[in-house]
Structure formats: C-alpha cells, structure tokens
Amino acid sequence: MTSRLENIKQQRREKLERLRNQGVDPYPHRYQRSHTTAEARELLTREEAGDTQAEEVSVAGRISAIRRMGKSSFADISDSSGKIQLLFQGSGFDEKLRNLLKDLDIGDVIGVRGGLLRTKSGEPTVQVSDFTLLAKSLQPLPEKWHGLSDTETRYRQRYLDLIANPEVKQAFKIRSQVISAIRQFLNERGFLEVETPVLQPSAGGALAQPFTTHHQALDRDLYLRIALELHLKRLIVGGFDKVYELGRTFRNEGISTQHNPEFTMLESYEAYADYQDVMAMLEEMVSQVSRQVLGTTEARFGEDTIDFKPPWQRLSLRDAVREHSGIDFAKYPTAETLGTEMRSRNIEVDQDKNWAKLVDELLKTFVRPKLIQPTFVIDYPVSMSPLAKSKPGEERTVERFQAFAGGMEIANAYTELNDPIEQRERFTEQLKERRGEDEERWTIDEDFLLALEYGMPPTGGLGVGIDRLVMLLTNQPSIREVILFPQLKEKGE
RNA sequence: GGGCCGCUAGCUCAACUGGCAGAGCAGCUGACUCUUAAUCAGCAGGUUACAGGUUCGACUCCUGUGCGGCUCACCA
C-alpha cells in the first residue's frame, strides 16, 4: 500500500515537523546573499590570483547533491548562474545546526555563509560557517545522473525539467536573449513597440482558424487574434512610421513539432519601405541577433550548420518550385490543370483545393524541406497573398517573400497593399472562396478598409515566427522545446 | 482525424518463446574529516497507464480506452 513515494513524502513531513519543533522556520521570508554561485567561483579565482582579499560570501540555491562523509559533508547547490560545492565540517556548528544538517535533503533550498577555498581536487567550495534552511522540499527530485527524460513529465512539470536538465535552462536563456536582441535591433532603428488587441470581433490578417471566446458583459463572441497585421497597419495610417509588436498569436489548428496553438510572432511595419528593404532588414536582424547571442552567425541545426550571414539567397517562387518539383506552375494556371499535372506525377491532390493552395502544397512538399541555408523565396501569385501589393507591370504576382531556414518557414513579408479599392476586391474574392464554410466568422474588416481609405503610405511589412527562429538558434527539433509550457491534453484521473 | 511506436518503483532502465517483477540512483539505519555518479554494510519500497479478453498461468498475446512521441493530414 505505501509506495516509495508515500514513504519519502511521509519522511519529509516528519523532518519538517522535527525542524519546526526545534524552532527552525522551514519557510523563512528572505535571505541576504552577497554573490551568485558563479560570482563566488569568480571571486575565488581572483582571491587566488591575489587580486583581492579573502572574504566571506553568502550564496543560496537548491541542494542538488549531498555527500556525507562522517564528520564532514559535501553538498552542491545550484542557482540560476550555475552551481558550487559546499563543505560542512560538522564540529564547527552548534547542536541546532548539526541537527538541521542531518535533516537536509536533496531538493531543499538553503542559504550558506562562509569563506571560499579550493579542495584537493580543485573544486571551488564554500566552507560553510553558517547556513539557513530557506525552503524544505517534500518531493523527491528526478535522478541526478540521467536527469528527467520522460517527455510528458518534462513538459507537464517543466520546473522539474529545468531543475534536472541544465541544457534546457540554457535554451530558454537563449530564447530570452534572442527576444531582447530583436527589441534592441528594432528600437535602435527607430521602431516603436506597440500593443494591439488580442480579443477581436473578427480575426483577420491570416486565414487560420481562430479560437472563440465570449464576453459576458457585452454578450458577444470574440476571437483571439491570429495575426497582428491589420491593427499595425492602422497605426501606419495613424502616422507611426515604424512600428512593431512582439506578441502571442493563437491559431486553432493542428499541433506538431513546428506548431503550437499559441506562439510568439514578431510583426513590423515600416512606412516608405518595400519588401526589398524588409529583406535587407531581416537578414541583418537575424545575423546580428545570432552574433549577439551565439557569438557567431553560424548555428548548428541537426546535421547541418546554418550560416545567417547576409546576403541570403534569393529565389523566385516559380523557379524554386520548378527546380525542386519539376513543375512550372505558370504553365498550369487553373486548379484543374495544375491538379491534373500533379496527379500525373503521383502527387496526392485534394479535390477541393484551389490553385493557390496547390502551389503552396508544392512549395511545402518539394521546396521547403530543401531550404536549409537561409533563403528568400520571392514573388508569389496574387491569389495566395490578399494583403500584398502587385509587382509593377505584373498583375498576377505580388511583392512578397517568405524566408526559410533549416527546412522551416521563419518569416513572411510583403510590400503592403495600400489601395483601398483593390484591397476590398481582394477581400471579396477571398470571401467567395470561403463561402460554404462558417459564414459569420469570415467577415470583411470594414474598419481596416476605412483606415486604408484615409491613405496608408507605401509600407513594407514583416512577420517572423519567433519560436522557430529560437529553434534554429538553440538546435531544437521541436517547438515544444522552446516553449516553456507547450499545449498538452489534460491528463484524465 | 489516420498510421507507427511507447507507458514497469519517486527517477533512469532490465525482465529470453507466456512460467516466482529486478537493478542503479533517490530514501531509511549504520561506518567514514577533501568527497564530487563518493565508498562500504544492511533495510524498505510495485494496481507493470486503465478496462476487458485468451490461458493452468499475462509485464509479455488479443480488443478497447487514456496520455505521450514521431509521422501524414490540417495550418494561404
């Protein structure tokens, strides 16, 4: 009946009671530490070099190992900067501390004070003169050597993953640095960071399924945003010439190694720029972020090494598809002819896909997996891109690019369509395609069109999938490895 | 949603063709004053994800369910 876990938990609770009876507060309010563990190690090096006088330090962290050796004991504690060894020499403490030492467990959080020394084997160590319990742990931690490898537990109890697997912590530190480097890059270029609504009466700017929610007081359904685009362009109309937003977007679609229902997107809009300018900015931004965070523009990704150094290769969509699939889609201008051509090459083709979707399928199936080094695929058919502006003299083609690296789409950008009349036509066209589906959900954003009618300057827009960019820079094969709490099904009782 | 794979002690993993569920770590007791995957002696700990079925006998075979992973579909 009593499992090991029950035993352990009971033992820990007994220890907790024992400590309380001895007047020890197992959960005190604060602790004054003088150094992080990394700073303490660095201080020792300087002391040894004679650069500074020996001094006492106080450090705090979670106990990750205890090695009891009779009269003296070693322990390791770790904080967010790293870990350091502790040496307790039992005779040095009064009875209360000796008892406390006995009842310490792996997992407890403690604060210690003492001088720094290096052991025979060269390990930087705090020789503890005084210590305090800061939080008693009542649960056993994962095993110290193999860490925690069960994927499900790693995601559901990410805190355990972070405690047990230091490299996981590292990936999320990099994520944070990437985001901060992006902000720095854009701020330095005069972009204004803004925040726009997550809750929207209609979800526009992309064609994904939105999440639905309900506002009680207003008694109306609202949607979680699927893109940032339409609001940011309103701000361009309003006279903010360079804006960006870094934020969560939500798509009610399938979950995969490259898709999480909520994910982080960067969108930026720059007045008076076109997609060529945006291309130059993106390759500059990504390479600079990589240099800043990794110290190099080269990133290891699985079997490959990706070099983000500009300029990235530029390839027209038509050439890209022709090269990798052998099909020149320009020769098959309708869904029927293109579909027939694809079927004749043994490509499975969904009957009700329109022409744009077929082209997109060719791109995803044949081209995208081949694009390991950063590549701009440019000049998309207008029917795939309702918010992008046509190329001068080429009505069927728009000034748009998608950036690929590591076989993933990481960015999408275009010269924004700012002709309100044409924009309305494109929306209407799109709505026709959608007819038969959930009618109410797909409405035209009239206020956005109204904004365009006031006049939007020529604008270059950009969307970057931050999670995927972080995957590339941290060499992670799954988006769940760069999202702290990825979406999982609820576990039944 | 489809296909394939997985789920055994708190953690990491064994268990042959269907024949007594086992080890290391963690835990407990004891020894040990420079250990670092400490060591040594002993102890304890299991609804083999869940529900059925086949069988003298099921961790093992079959059916279903749950959760996870990969993949396909979906995702302009």
Side-chain angles (χ1 to χ4, degrees):
Chain A
M1 176 64 204
T2 52
S3 67
R4 285 197 238 196
L5 181 59
E6 289 303 319
N7 274 340
I8 292 169
K9 288 200 294 199
Q10 198 187 328
Q11 284 158 2
R12 297 271 176 116
R13 280 189 161 79
E14 282 164 11
K15 284 179 183 175
L16 190 70
E17 275 321 295
R18 212 151 51 222
L19 293 170
R20 282 209 162 102
N21 291 337
Q22 287 163 8
V24 173
D25 178 1
Y27 301 103
H29 289 72
R30 77 185 299 271
Y31 185 77
Q32 186 75 44
R33 57 175 175 167
S34 64
H35 294 76
T36 66
T37 61
E39 287 164 352
R41 282 197 308 271
E42 198 193 313
L43 178 64
L44 175 62
T45 311
R46 279 189 281 127
E47 284 178 9
E48 288 167 335
D51 292 350
T52 181
Q53 290 228 311
E55 58 175 298
E56 283 218 320
V57 297
S58 52
V59 296
R62 186 185 300 278
I63 299 175
S64 55
I66 302 179
R67 296 176 289 281
R68 295 183 205 273
M69 317 215 6
K71 290 209 179 76
S72 60
S73 298
F74 292 92
D76 300 331
I77 59 165
S78 46
D79 61 14
S80 62
S81 75
K83 61 190 338 192
I84 195 163
Q85 179 170 260
L86 310 178
L87 169 57
F88 297 87
Q89 276 173 327
S91 51
F93 304 113
D94 62 24
E95 195 188 346
K96 195 170 152 186
L97 281 185
R98 279 206 300 276
N99 285 332
L100 173 54
L101 182 58
K102 266 189 241 164
D103 280 338
L104 285 184
D105 287 299
I106 291 173
D108 290 351
V109 179
I110 61 170
V112 306
R113 201 156 51 78
L116 294 165
L117 59 82
R118 198 174 287 273
T119 62
K120 271 184 201 162
S121 49
E123 185 73 26
T125 302
V126 180
Q127 180 159 28
V128 178
S129 57
D130 188 25
F131 65 99
T132 314
L133 178 63
L134 301 178
K136 186 70 192 158
S137 166
L138 303 179
Q139 295 278 350
L141 286 179
E143 200 227 5
K144 62 184 169 190
W145 189 240
H146 299 91
L148 178 67
S149 64
D150 181 72
T151 340
E152 190 174 347
T153 311
R154 288 187 50 233
Y155 295 156
R156 286 190 197 280
Q157 293 177 275
R158 183 67 92 177
Y159 45 91
L160 288 183
D161 192 26
L162 293 167
I163 291 169
N165 303 321
E167 68 282 2
V168 172
K169 232 185 201 170
Q170 188 53 29
F172 287 104
K173 277 188 191 170
I174 291 178
R175 179 179 176 121
S176 169
Q177 288 163 2
V178 165
I179 289 173
S180 140
I182 289 172
R183 281 211 165 88
Q184 190 188 327
F185 179 92
L186 290 167
N187 291 345
E188 277 169 3
R189 292 188 167 222
F191 280 81
L192 183 75
E193 181 171 11
V194 297
E195 294 171 277
T196 63
V198 171
L199 295 175
Q200 307 183 343
S202 72
L207 221 67
Q209 289 287 335
F211 286 93
T212 313
T213 186
H214 188 79
H215 192 288
Q216 301 292 0
L218 297 178
D219 187 26
R220 67 166 305 169
D221 284 343
L222 292 170
Y223 303 97
L224 303 192
R225 65 184 177 190
I226 56 176
L228 314 175
E229 177 149 5
L230 301 184
H231 281 92
L232 292 179
K233 284 201 266 196
R234 283 171 169 89
L235 296 177
I236 294 288
V237 171
F240 286 128
D241 289 347
K242 296 179 177 184
V243 293
Y244 74 97
E245 179 165 9
L246 251 168
R248 209 70 63 82
T249 47
F250 307 83
R251 293 186 182 180
N252 203 342
E253 308 277 0
I255 297 176
S256 79
T257 50
Q258 288 176 37
H259 300 83
N260 195 62
E262 49 182 304
F263 61 103
T264 301
M265 190 130 94
L266 164 71
E267 286 196 27
S268 74
Y269 292 84
E270 178 175 1
Y272 314 113
D274 70 1
Y275 77 142
Q276 293 287 350
D277 301 313
V278 177
M279 252 182 267
M281 182 178 88
L282 179 64
E283 59 189 5
E284 188 52 44
M285 178 170 82
V286 173
S287 63
Q288 185 170 317
V289 165
S290 174
R291 252 197 316 271
Q292 205 167 323
V293 173
L294 305 180
T296 164
T297 60
E298 292 183 8
R300 180 109 205 124
F301 190 65
E303 301 292 296
D304 306 297
T305 299
I306 300 175
D307 191 352
F308 293 108
K309 194 168 72 190
W312 299 354
Q313 193 194 350
R314 279 131 170 99
L315 191 61
S316 82
L317 176 64
R318 186 178 167 192
D319 289 345
V321 170
R322 192 164 44 194
E323 184 181 322
H324 290 104
S325 75
I327 296 176
D328 183 357
F329 60 73
K331 289 188 185 153
Y332 308 97
T334 63
E336 289 71 39
T337 52
L338 185 56
T340 306
E341 177 61 18
M342 286 168 70
R343 266 182 291 266
S344 79
R345 289 161 191 260
N346 280 330
I347 304 166
E348 249 183 77
V349 178
D350 200 336
Q351 201 57 253
D352 43 329
K353 270 191 176 163
N354 63 32
W355 186 82
K357 285 195 168 189
L358 292 177
V359 172
D360 194 52
E361 174 152 337
L362 289 171
L363 172 65
K364 283 172 174 168
T365 319
F366 293 98
V367 182
R368 189 172 69 187
K370 302 278 173 49
L371 301 181
I372 304 301
Q373 294 305 319
T375 305
F376 292 118
V377 174
I378 63 175
D379 294 346
Y380 284 65
V382 63
S383 56
M384 296 172 74
S385 321
L387 294 155
K389 199 173 202 166
S390 312
K391 289 190 84 166
E394 293 181 52
E395 270 194 9
R396 292 185 52 114
T397 308
V398 293
E399 294 191 344
R400 172 182 176 191
F401 73 79
Q402 289 186 308
F404 297 87
M408 290 187 291
E409 179 197 331
I410 57 168
N412 182 23
Y414 29 85
T415 305
E416 303 297 334
L417 177 58
N418 63 342
D419 176 339
I421 294 165
E422 186 178 354
Q423 183 66 79
R424 178 178 295 279
E425 285 165 4
R426 300 265 198 98
F427 277 161
T428 310
E429 194 64 28
Q430 187 186 331
L431 208 59
K432 256 192 252 164
E433 301 246 341
R434 286 251 138 195
R435 194 152 293 158
E437 299 182 35
D438 195 336
E439 295 271 338
E440 195 181 347
R441 181 168 301 167
W442 306 105
T443 54
I444 288 178
D445 187 336
E446 285 295 339
D447 181 72
F448 171 68
L449 288 173
L450 179 60
L452 286 190
E453 287 185 12
Y454 283 91
M456 183 175 85
T459 297
L462 168 69
V464 180
I466 296 299
D467 311 271
R468 291 178 185 170
L469 181 60
V470 173
M471 286 169 67
L472 291 172
L473 294 171
T474 55
N475 190 19
Q476 294 298 335
S478 166
I479 199 167
R480 293 180 206 101
E481 296 294 343
V482 300
I483 292 175
L484 280 166
F485 301 99
Q487 196 62 47
L488 297 179
K489 275 195 200 173
E490 219 174 321
K491 211 171 177 178
E493 273 305 296

